Amino acid sequence: MPERSPEQIRTSIEETRRELAFSVNDLRAKVTEITNWRRQLSQNRQTALVGAVVAGFVIGGGVAATISLIRRR
């Protein structure tokens, strides 16, 4: 590898810093978007409602079955 001058090294470091800053900002924006649960919920409202109904049905059925078993003893 040919030797680089100090100026070339400085230029390379500055370019890397700019790229890193861009990457960090891009990552921060993506993390913010992904963790925005209110937006996710509003975009997937029907799926969330179906999931809540199913979970309620399963939990309610489990509680009812448990109470029924306890009363039989």
Side-chain angles (χ1 to χ4, degrees), residues 15 32 39 43 61 69 71:
E15 183 179 333
T32 300
R39 190 179 126 274
Q43 288 181 342
L69 286 174
R71 285 187 180 171

Side-chain angles (χ1 to χ4, degrees), residues 9-69:
I9 294 171
R10 282 187 205 95
T11 303
S12 176
I13 290 171
E14 287 303 315
E15 183 179 333
T16 302
R17 283 182 182 159
R18 281 191 299 276
E19 290 172 0
L20 183 58
F22 176 79
S23 295
V24 168
N25 286 335
D26 188 46
L27 180 60
R28 183 179 292 130
K30 287 178 182 176
V31 167
T32 300
E33 180 182 337
I34 290 170
T35 58
N36 185 350
W37 64 270
R38 287 186 176 116
R39 190 179 126 274
Q40 296 285 337
L41 181 61
S42 70
Q43 288 181 342
N44 300 296
R45 186 174 304 257
Q46 185 175 3
T47 303
L49 286 173
V50 169
V53 168
V54 169
F57 184 77
V58 169
I59 292 170
V63 169
T66 302
I67 291 173
S68 176
L69 286 174

